[in-house]
Amino acid sequence: MTTNATTLPPRTVPAGPPRALRPRIRGTVAERVFVTRSLLQELRDPEAMLMAVVLPVMLMLMFTFIFGEAIDPSGGYVDYVVPGIILLCAGFGASSTAVSVSRDMTTGIIERFRTMPLRSGAVLTGHVVVSVIRNLFATAVVIGVALLVGFRPNATALDWLAMFGVVALYILAITYLFAAIGLAASSPEAANGYGFILLFLPYVSSAFVPVETMPDWLRPIAEHQPITPVIETIRSFLVGTPLGSSGWIALAWCLGIVVVAAVWGAWLFRRKAGRR
């Protein structure tokens, strides 16, 4: 006996707009989340913040009370050295960003982030924003200690505002640079070593002695590196030294470093963490 089976036509489903499997997070939600994450990590590691403040303060006290009399017997060396200490403080604080970024890249947390609908830059934004906030706070502490040991600026309120603007821009630039170094390093230890090299740059500048007192072969390096015009700009705002073209040169250096470091960091992040 033969049974004839009737073949039913396949059921058709009305076509609709494609649904996104990983909808993107809108606005700045991702950036706020990673800023909060980095801030909580900072609060759980007070030793790093303490060292970022203590080391520059110790250097300032050493240069003021040990070397100051030999360099400037009139006792006004503290007014000269404080702008350099401010940038040294920013460098110490920003160097930890390289270690934090490298730790994120090597501990596997980025692989978890890749499963989320996040913009890749949000991870770096969290590190950079918190580092800028931390370093501005450390700068305020260093200036407060400097006032206690004899620093006497003659800056107006507008000069103070301009000075903090220059310092904030410099901190942003060096923090982005350290974040890119953390991405390029193979381990947190290597990132710490690479960052430590940059911390020597203020010593080859006008931070502690005038450039004119340096050997002839070293003077061009000190004059044409980014730290010297930034220090001279800060020194001009605080103690009234001639500004000249230092302000524009400092602005160009800081903006250039921000652009180069941000582009380099974005390229390194996409290369190491994969495109979202």
Side-chain angles (χ1 to χ4, degrees):
M1 181 176 181
T2 305
T3 303
N4 294 326
T6 304
T7 304
L8 298 176
R11 183 180 179 184
T12 58
V13 179
R19 298 177 61 187
L21 297 179
R22 297 172 61 190
R24 306 292 291 185
I25 296 178
R26 298 181 181 276
T28 59
V29 175
E31 283 74 12
R32 294 200 302 270
V33 168
F34 279 99
V35 168
T36 303
R37 170 181 178 262
S38 297
L39 184 60
L40 290 175
Q41 289 178 337
E42 197 70 34
L43 294 176
R44 293 167 183 167
D45 187 16
E47 291 84 3
M49 178 65 188
L50 183 64
M51 294 305 297
V53 176
V54 169
L55 286 178
V57 167
M58 290 178 63
L59 284 173
M60 180 176 59
L61 296 177
M62 180 180 68
F63 275 95
T64 300
F65 294 110
I66 298 178
F67 303 135
E69 287 295 326
I71 298 175
D72 184 2
S74 66
Y77 183 65
V78 64
D79 292 333
Y80 182 88
V81 78
V82 166
I85 296 296
I86 290 174
L87 293 197
L88 200 63
C89 173
F92 277 117
S95 62
S96 63
T97 304
V99 178
S100 300
V101 171
S102 180
R103 186 180 297 117
D104 277 352
M105 299 301 296
T106 55
T107 55
I109 190 65
I110 295 298
E111 298 302 321
R112 296 188 179 184
F113 293 155
R114 290 181 62 185
T115 65
M116 303 177 186
L118 303 172
R119 286 179 293 275
S120 58
V123 181
L124 295 183
T125 300
H127 288 293
V128 170
V129 169
V130 172
S131 179
V132 170
I133 295 173
R134 177 189 64 218
N135 286 321
L136 286 175
F137 173 75
T139 298
V141 173
V142 168
I143 293 176
V145 175
L147 292 172
L148 293 177
V149 299
F151 178 51
R152 294 296 178 263
N154 53 14
T156 64
L158 187 60
D159 291 333
W160 278 105
L161 186 62
M163 185 275 298
F164 271 106
V166 172
V167 172
L169 182 59
Y170 173 78
I171 291 174
L172 180 66
I174 196 173
T175 302
Y176 260 116
L177 183 58
F178 273 113
I181 290 173
L183 289 170
S186 59
S187 66
E189 292 77 15
N192 188 39
Y194 296 147
F196 192 72
I197 296 174
L198 289 180
L199 296 181
F200 279 98
L201 206 56
Y203 296 100
V204 192
S205 70
S206 62
F208 301 105
V209 294
V211 174
E212 295 77 15
T213 64
M214 297 182 181
D216 292 338
W217 62 270
L218 187 60
R219 192 178 305 166
I221 300 175
E223 289 177 345
H224 299 96
Q225 59 128 315
I227 303 295
T228 294
V230 177
I231 289 176
E232 293 303 322
T233 302
I234 296 173
R235 188 171 284 137
S236 175
F237 287 136
L238 290 181
V239 297
T241 57
L243 180 60
S245 59
S246 297
W248 295 109
I249 296 174
L251 184 63
W253 267 114
C254 290
L255 292 177
I257 292 173
V258 168
V259 172
V260 172
V263 172
W264 183 33
W267 178 78
L268 285 171
F269 195 91
R270 287 195 301 267
R271 180 170 170 264
K272 287 195 170 186
R275 293 181 181 272
R276 272 50 178 178

